Amino acid sequence: LFDVLVVGGGPAGASAAVYAARKGINTGMVVETFGGQVMETLGIENMIGTPYTEGPKLMRQVEEHVNEYNVDVMKGQRAKDIRKNEFVEVELENGAVLKTKTAILATGARWRNINVPGEQEFKNKGVAYCPHCDGPLFAGKEVAVIGGGNSGIEAAIDLAGMAKHVYVLEFLPELKADLVLQKRLATLENVTVITNAATKEIVGSDHVEQLTYVDRQTNREATLAVEGVFILIGLMPNTEWLKDRVALNERNEIIVDKHGTTDLAGVFAAGDCTDSAYKQIIISMGSGATAALGAFDYLIRQ
Ligand code: FAD
């Protein structure tokens, strides 16, 4: 029987495990792949106190940190269900059921891919998903943002302050972002909005050099000379297995309060799988710590 069982091994889950284990309580971790999204990140420049690091290096250090404590890490295991009886029960895909007094859900999220040629090939070589992370790399350069929803238009406004020119490509005939964002975008001189644009291919040699798209009205193909392509067509939380188990918002993010508490007694959540306003490593680590302290407070009151 665990006191705290963490599900997920990204920054949020690892931080929660360290904070829980430091209370001297029985802590476990169920992890599909240790490291989470950070493993896909090459340069990280916004871990405060560490001017530059790389995703795999950071997560190796994070894993070492977890291993300094007595945490039972079950790698290569995927949780598929959670329920509350006398204890919280987490069922794994291999059929095992783990019992715990509290659970911390930290299953993260994934950016929707656009699935065009070049996207995978140029990840970290011009193809990006996070303007807060990679925006400064494109200072003075021409970039494209794919996606005209709120996250795409926020990114375009953000990037316009650094990049030479920003092209926004929206598949539909009009942008989907809130009007206030669209109005703000319209005031920026170095932004061009292209609607009805179906992205066809991202092209380059060792880095992105061009993006081609098809104008869906004329069926004509066009090319933009850009060095960066930000793909912002949706962040999907890994919460499919939690539907009808804990309360999710309209974006399928787990709803938490300021202690990381969900609506299921003894179950907490942290990181990109929650309704946190922003999705970043440092924010996930902070919310993992919050959820672990929330779980500890809950335990000492039982
Ligand atoms: P994740 O990192 O998504 O980790 C989720 C974990 O849960 C993984 O271990 C996964 O295997 C596991 N898991 C999922 N489902 C299950 C299940 N059912 N059972 C068991 N385990 C499960 N942020 C920055 O601050 N700076 C950056 O420079 C930066 N660059 C980025 C670049 C890219 C390409 C991407 C995709 C993201 C970047 N981010 C960056 C965002 C950052 O990576 C995330 O905010 C952060 O990783 C979220 O941490 P998390 O622990 O909540 O989730």
Side-chain angles (χ1 to χ4, degrees), residues 145-159:
V145 170
I146 301 177
N150 281 341
S151 60
I153 301 311
E154 283 168 7
I157 294 169
D158 179 357
L159 292 165

Side-chain angles (χ1 to χ4, degrees), residues 7-13 30-38 40-41 43-46 77-80 106-109 111 124 129-130 133-134 238 241 270-273 279-282 284:
V7 184
V30 176
V31 179
E32 198 182 5
T33 43
F34 201 99
Q37 291 167 69
V38 185
E40 299 171 36
T41 310
I44 300 172
E45 302 182 349
N46 56 7
Q77 300 296 338
R78 209 180 142 79
K80 71 163 186 192
T107 50
W111 285 100
N124 290 316
Y129 299 83
C130 172
C133 314
D134 296 339
N238 298 319
W241 62 292
D272 281 12
C273 65
K279 319 290 187 198
Q280 292 282 277
I281 297 168
I282 199 164
S284 299

